[in-house]
Amino acid sequence: MLINCVAYQDGLKIAEPSIHQISDYVTKPHTFIWVALKDADSTELQQMKEEFELHELAVEDAQHGHQRPKVEEYGDSIFAVIQLIEIVNSELHVGEVDVFVGRNYVLSIRNRSQQNFLGVRARCEREQHLLKLGSGFVFYALIDAIVDRYFPIVDALETELEEIEEKIFNQGSARSNIERLYALKRKVQVLKHAVAPLLDAVGKLQGGGRVPNACSDMQVYFRDVYDHLGRINSSVDAIRDTIATAMQVNLSMVTIEEGEVNKRLAAWAGIFAVATALAGIWGMNFEVMPELKWEYGYPAALLAIAGAAGILYWRFRKSGWL
Amino acid sequence: MLINCVAYQDGLKIAEPSIHQISDYVTKPHTFIWVALKDADSTELQQMKEEFELHELAVEDAQHGHQRPKVEEYGDSIFAVIQLIEIVNSELHVGEVDVFVGRNYVLSIRNRSQQNFLGVRARCEREQHLLKLGSGFVFYALIDAIVDRYFPIVDALETELEEIEEKIFNQGSARSNIERLYALKRKVQVLKHAVAPLLDAVGKLQGGGRVPNACSDMQVYFRDVYDHLGRINSSVDAIRDTIATAMQVNLSMVTIEEGEVNKRLAAWAGIFAVATALAGIWGMNFEVMPELKWEYGYPAALLAIAGAAGILYWRFRKSGWL
Amino acid sequence: MLINCVAYQDGLKIAEPSIHQISDYVTKPHTFIWVALKDADSTELQQMKEEFELHELAVEDAQHGHQRPKVEEYGDSIFAVIQLIEIVNSELHVGEVDVFVGRNYVLSIRNRSQQNFLGVRARCEREQHLLKLGSGFVFYALIDAIVDRYFPIVDALETELEEIEEKIFNQGSARSNIERLYALKRKVQVLKHAVAPLLDAVGKLQGGGRVPNACSDMQVYFRDVYDHLGRINSSVDAIRDTIATAMQVNLSMVTIEEGEVNKRLAAWAGIFAVATALAGIWGMNFEVMPELKWEYGYPAALLAIAGAAGILYWRFRKSGWL
Amino acid sequence: MLINCVAYQDGLKIAEPSIHQISDYVTKPHTFIWVALKDADSTELQQMKEEFELHELAVEDAQHGHQRPKVEEYGDSIFAVIQLIEIVNSELHVGEVDVFVGRNYVLSIRNRSQQNFLGVRARCEREQHLLKLGSGFVFYALIDAIVDRYFPIVDALETELEEIEEKIFNQGSARSNIERLYALKRKVQVLKHAVAPLLDAVGKLQGGGRVPNACSDMQVYFRDVYDHLGRINSSVDAIRDTIATAMQVNLSMVTIEEGEVNKRLAAWAGIFAVATALAGIWGMNFEVMPELKWEYGYPAALLAIAGAAGILYWRFRKSGWL
Amino acid sequence: MLINCVAYQDGLKIAEPSIHQISDYVTKPHTFIWVALKDADSTELQQMKEEFELHELAVEDAQHGHQRPKVEEYGDSIFAVIQLIEIVNSELHVGEVDVFVGRNYVLSIRNRSQQNFLGVRARCEREQHLLKLGSGFVFYALIDAIVDRYFPIVDALETELEEIEEKIFNQGSARSNIERLYALKRKVQVLKHAVAPLLDAVGKLQGGGRVPNACSDMQVYFRDVYDHLGRINSSVDAIRDTIATAMQVNLSMVTIEEGEVNKRLAAWAGIFAVATALAGIWGMNFEVMPELKWEYGYPAALLAIAGAAGILYWRFRKSGWL
């Protein structure tokens, strides 16, 4: 579905051509065209392929979807896949943006996501001195906008981790802790798979080695995106590391708690075993058991039993078993 | 066993020569020959070695089989080993394709596998403008077809993992979970051993450094295969990572469950210990035990016992032990 | 908030210009200006941006704060972010210093930290032969001062670890050990995130590859900082490694202790079970039980019970269960 | 101890010189000499050092023995250490072969091993067209033979692992499993220490970078050895990985089994506690306990006890505790 | 404290100058001076700094001590820090040697260690043809001597590990095993921190890339040291790996032992529970309990109880619980 299609010259909007007029603008000097599609079907993709002379393999990838994030060069043009991540009902939902960048055009296709990029276009049109730099700047602005949307995701995951951490030393919450940690780990994995390959790909655009033509002169900007991705990536790694430790701690806490329950069990079992053994002894049927005849034998026996139990209770208490 | 043997000129099939005619076609300009064998014995391999002047060490490797995936150069020609993986009765079955690629020929030998490559030949013959590119394109088409067949394997393993994950927090399924996770881990290991070395090998064909002659001009295509392998590889790594976590979680769940059983055991043991101790006390043979003479002593005693047990039951219930 | 602003010529202080005079000094030959700000607001940052012609992206980073440590080049100037770490109430508090270095100026902005750098300025003014080297030396002196302040943090963490280690084989302290190890691990993570990226960044200033202009001739000094960071980094790694082992050991100790409690429980349960069983037998109501008639039957029975319990006790003692 | 000493010219054996004649042959063109020693003492080593002008440090290493596998260049000659591994009484026994390779000679010294290399010499003498290539080919043939002898070791370890795996989910074999896994891990470590450094060393002979003179023209052959070593190395890594998982699984199985024992213990303890409590109640000495007078009171009581026990048994059975 | 100070010319000792004469010898051609200090104070260091024109940063490092092992170039001279490790009362004691190497001098400063290097000087003076090579050879001889002293440390740690391993499957030694493993791990960490950075540093002296002037022509010798360090490093890694596995095994053994204790506890509890329940039944006060009147009722009851206990005992024995 076409969202919009605008031609720019020297940083200024000059027209909103229809799809079939695209090829007219692509060849004009100092002009570039920026097309935004949403959940494009194969007919639209074929049209775009013809208008912009896109490479067959790139179009195939865009059509299949579910690609790993990447930035690939096909001759003078660039094909990039970036994942869009949203939190929907506390689950991570993964969408995808496919971007084709040539000297005179930018084509962005958004799939399976509710997030739009109208803000990016507005920003670009506002900053005319940068928009003059051409399609490379638009490419940067798109990546920058998507990467900035990763930060709240990281924050949400960190908040969730902190909530679990607060309960990690609580008794009785081991089961729910471990379930939540496991779910969180899965979410972090999703984010990691969006960030890590993109970090590598953007690393190649930020200079050091050869930089694709469409992105030259933009290296400082891509380094900024690279730096943001690096921060996200290291936060993600820190969360993963903490989850692993928290799981281990959780197991320790369960074992410690079990040990404490065992001690209590042992203590109470001991107290009642003594009471039962004593009662059993005075329940024996020997004929000659003088204490049985005593007037205050019974209360004395009860006292003896209570006393033995009491002494045990006090000792267990002192040694921390109860 | 020979499957087929076809000579192509400028992307068009020109003949189906017999094995002994091969050397005639190999020397023709703009012509290449594509031979497919299946479970070739040493006689056939020797024939091929002579017809195509294959390198001794490569032929030895093809004969021994059970090689790690690799792409090796011998002068102007390439020798590649790729593993074929099928699911047979929910076990992974590993076959092998050995491919010899020269400027004018492609020789593929399929071993220990039911999968055929008739579809690849059909696709190549359909896309004449690509088949014109020569043996390198056929090589690409073969690898691409094999790698595409890894995707359903990955999907099957992911599905299996998800099935286990659904039961991982269930009580009583720890033993079967751990058995299934262990079996799954072994399967993932098999796939990993097929994918990881191939990823390295194809990485060298996709450019960056020097690329073998037979694959030059094909780098964009091999990069596409490389990208697919990268996706598979990172999926495999994600599965491995999740299995490791799931095993740890499973151990935690067993320990948690054990702790709960321990608590229940302690609770019931406590309740009955109290009942038994009380009954024991009234079973003592002291002469002066006034309550034994009371008319309603017995029901009162039963009530006392039931009451004590009831209070304990209620307290255990409240503290979550029962 | 402006802390101070001084102009130096050939290693000597020549003036303390106001903010608006800065641009006059920046253009003078053999002169450089060193401005120190604290918790600068956006107005101050805009002023600085104009006076020193700082790059927009760097100023944005400085304004947002909470950056990863890094050293970035913008043309001839350098933008560095370094984390300041203090121990406040046994928690690690993370501040940030942003440093802009050009051929003729150093601008340092300290955020969210009580630590000041008056000592660095005093040292630089004392060592005139080094201050002559210009802004690069001031940059080195700042980094060196910050990195030197990491050492006491590492020492504090090591001391804390040693305190925990002393209790790790103690009985009954498992719960507090694991809580303290977890908290320590979190602190170490904070320090690691300050040190590791800085190590990479300083590694690029110490030579080997291309070194930014502002830091050339200073490579021996930056290698010294790099070496200090390397020591801190490897100490941090050692602490992390030891924490992981200590956690594992702690779990083992809990399990061992639990095993010992289990054995004692088993032993005492056995002793009382024997007593109770014997008492139960002599409490049976058979008419013909000759020992019940014996004069010394009761003491004999008590002796038998005590004897059986004693033998058990002695055997359990011998086998280390009690 | 000298095993044999043969001079070759153009791939043909021309003489079996005595040790003192060696230096005569070393200087002849198109000739090379191949000496094999076994457990050489220092006198023999000194002789060899003089005849071949070996480097002092290499001879010292050969004399000390117990070196890590390595391939070192000393000027135009090569000094290689390779470990020989044999299975003796299901333990791995590590021997060592030291090989000195120059343009005109190969000197191999076998230490602490029963394996001989007569087969290698026979193979070389058979393949004259290869033996013509000189000392480099002999060096290749020796390494190839040793590496091929690693394969059965890997197979034996894999078989042992599979035997353990079959029992890993069996009840009651946890102790022997863990002992066997530990012993296996130690064996794998021995093999790993033989293979991993050799893989690195042979990697340098197979091309890519500079290759020692004595091995040039042999790169395809060394790549073949490298490939074999790579296969062994990845098998070893897979075994190590599986051992780690198997140990973890084993621990899980022990914990699961313990949980099951705990449940059974709880169940039976419950059943008997109920019986004992009921019997205790009817053993109380209250005067007014009407059921005690009933004619069929006793059988009814037994029935009640058996019934209560039966119901419990049935419920425990149903919930899988028994 | 000065130990000795000797000037050499062409491999021969020519004088033992006092400290103030050093600068006279340093400038002579074909001469070099070798000074050995012990626990030098700052005055001595300042003297040396002036005599040899050492770099300020290197002298600062030497003065502070407790550096990581490293080899640094300052212009034409080298500054190296190497750790000396001794076993004192089965604890590892870490000393430090700081070595300054210039074209005409070697200055070694030994700190916090009882080990001396008189043997190194004696060896160097004996091997005049090598001492002729100048200060680089002395530098090599010092490193070589220190590295050779690491081998007995590694052997001691391996012996300690083997002693623990012998007890790892013993019952009842889990607590001391884990304590000893933990202590051993800490010692290994100390050795690792001495070896790993030195391995990197010496790796740069052994060729491959640029080699400092003072060490050129010595690359074969430094490669020998590098190889020794590599062996030590891989032994250390093997010990670490084995300790980790041994800790895991130890935990498994504790859990297994606990499981066995649990089973025994369950078995004995069961046997006595049966006895007690039976005795309780015959202790009930029903009027009509015919067996109580039988002449041989009591022996029969005892027999029944013993029989039931015996059957249980036999069954538990058979299933391995007792």
Side-chain angles (χ1 to χ4, degrees), chain B residues 47 259-260 265 276 283:
Chain B
Q47 254 178 340
E260 287 164 2
L265 166 55
T276 305

Side-chain angles (χ1 to χ4, degrees), chain D residues 65-66 186, chain E residues 85 87 92 147-165 180 184 187-188 191 195 228 231-236 239:
Chain D
H66 299 287
R186 288 296 247 164
Chain E
I85 299 190
I87 300 185
L92 296 193
V147 168
D148 276 353
R149 291 176 192 177
Y150 291 161
F151 280 106
I153 312 282
V154 172
D155 289 345
L157 297 181
E158 277 175 348
T159 307
E160 201 169 330
L161 179 57
E162 276 161 24
E163 280 174 26
I164 303 172
E165 277 185 311
R180 289 182 70 187
L184 185 59
K187 285 185 210 166
V188 172
L191 187 57
V195 172
H228 291 179
R231 258 159 69 201
I232 293 168
N233 196 46
S234 81
S235 296
V236 165
I239 297 178

Side-chain angles (χ1 to χ4, degrees), chain A residues 248, chain C residues 157-158 160-166 168-169 177-178 181-182 184-185 188 234-250, chain E residues 181-190 193 240 247:
Chain A
Q248 208 191 341
Chain C
L157 297 181
E158 278 175 348
E160 201 171 329
L161 179 56
E162 276 161 24
E163 280 173 26
I164 303 173
E165 277 185 312
E166 276 169 22
I168 210 165
F169 296 112
N177 284 342
I178 204 95
L181 284 169
Y182 190 78
L184 185 59
K185 171 119 194 222
V188 173
S234 81
S235 295
V236 165
D237 286 344
I239 297 177
R240 281 157 63 104
D241 187 40
T242 305
I243 289 175
T245 311
M247 280 190 168
Q248 207 190 342
V249 164
N250 199 60
Chain E
L181 283 169
Y182 190 78
L184 185 59
K185 171 122 194 217
R186 289 296 247 163
K187 285 185 210 166
V188 172
Q189 215 178 32
V190 169
H193 284 180
R240 282 158 62 103
M247 280 190 168

Side-chain angles (χ1 to χ4, degrees), chain D:
Chain D
M1 203 174 76
L2 181 73
I3 298 178
N4 44 27
C5 171
V6 183
Y8 299 90
Q9 200 169 41
D10 288 327
L12 286 167
K13 188 196 246 191
I14 54 167
E16 297 206 15
S18 76
I19 285 183
H20 304 286
Q21 295 170 308
I22 286 175
S23 43
D24 304 343
Y25 285 89
V26 165
T27 50
K28 279 195 187 170
H30 304 291
T31 307
F32 78 91
I33 199 156
W34 178 1
V35 184
L37 296 181
K38 188 187 148 188
D39 296 313
D41 55 31
S42 61
T43 325
E44 287 171 312
L45 278 170
Q46 282 309 313
Q47 255 178 340
M48 290 300 147
K49 187 185 162 189
E50 280 154 31
E51 295 291 332
F52 293 115
E53 296 177 3
L54 306 175
H55 195 282
E56 195 177 1
L57 288 169
V59 174
E60 263 179 37
D61 278 353
Q63 200 158 334
H64 282 123
H66 299 287
Q67 303 293 317
R68 272 206 313 163
K70 62 181 171 184
V71 175
E72 286 179 347
E73 277 186 271
Y74 288 93
D76 261 359
S77 68
I78 289 176
F79 171 59
V81 177
I82 313 162
Q83 292 189 353
L84 278 167
I85 299 190
E86 295 160 291
I87 299 183
V88 179
N89 299 326
S90 88
E91 289 297 317
L92 296 193
H93 178 263
V94 180
E96 188 176 315
V97 180
D98 301 314
V99 188
F100 296 84
V101 185
R103 230 166 48 78
N104 296 326
Y105 64 89
V106 174
L107 165 61
S108 70
I109 305 163
R110 166 159 61 92
N111 291 312
R112 305 185 310 284
S113 172
Q114 297 307 316
Q115 298 184 20
N116 65 54
F117 295 105
L118 300 176
V120 179
R121 194 178 287 268
R123 174 191 163 194
C124 288
E125 291 179 355
R126 237 179 5 250
E127 302 189 3
Q128 289 175 18
H129 64 288
L130 292 170
L131 194 54
K132 253 186 214 169
L133 294 170
S135 56
F137 180 74
V138 172
F139 182 38
Y140 152 73
L142 277 168
I143 295 191
D144 189 48
I146 296 170
V147 169
D148 276 353
R149 291 175 193 179
Y150 290 161
F151 280 105
I153 312 280
V154 172
D155 289 347
L157 297 181
E158 278 175 347
T159 307
E160 201 170 331
L161 180 56
E162 276 161 22
E163 280 173 28
I164 303 173
E165 277 185 311
E166 275 169 23
K167 292 186 184 157
I168 209 167
F169 297 111
N170 288 4
Q171 293 214 339
S173 58
R175 183 182 286 272
S176 73
N177 283 343
I178 205 95
E179 286 185 17
R180 290 182 70 186
L181 283 169
Y182 191 77
L184 184 60
K185 171 122 193 216
R186 288 296 247 164
K187 285 185 210 166
V188 172
Q189 215 178 31
V190 169
L191 187 58
K192 178 83 187 174
H193 284 180
V195 172
L198 191 59
L199 185 72
D200 288 350
V202 173
K204 282 176 203 150
L205 301 179
Q206 62 134 10
R210 201 187 66 79
V211 168
N213 284 338
C215 303
S216 60
D217 306 331
M218 301 296 303
Q219 301 177 16
V220 171
Y221 291 89
F222 283 106
R223 193 180 60 196
D224 196 57
V225 174
Y226 182 72
D227 186 57
H228 291 180
L229 276 168
R231 257 159 69 200
I232 293 168
N233 195 47
S234 82
S235 295
V236 165
D237 286 343
I239 297 177
R240 281 158 63 103
D241 187 41
T242 305
I243 289 176
T245 311
M247 281 190 166
Q248 207 190 342
V249 164
N250 199 57
L251 180 56
S252 286
M253 294 313 293
V254 171
T255 309
I256 290 171
E257 227 181 279
E258 206 181 306
E260 286 165 1
V261 168
N262 261 353
K263 282 179 188 168
R264 279 216 229 173
L265 166 56
W268 284 115
I271 289 172
F272 282 102
V274 165
T276 305
L278 283 177
I281 282 166
W282 285 309
M284 294 193 295
N285 295 323
F286 288 95
E287 287 199 343
V288 189
M289 288 175 74
E291 66 268 42
L292 298 184
K293 319 285 192 213
W294 298 348
E295 198 176 345
Y296 298 106
Y298 179 48
L302 288 181
L303 228 71
I305 289 172
I311 288 168
L312 278 179
Y313 182 83
W314 172 75
R315 286 194 56 177
F316 284 132
R317 192 105 221 183
K318 223 179 68 179
S319 65
W321 285 37
L322 278 174

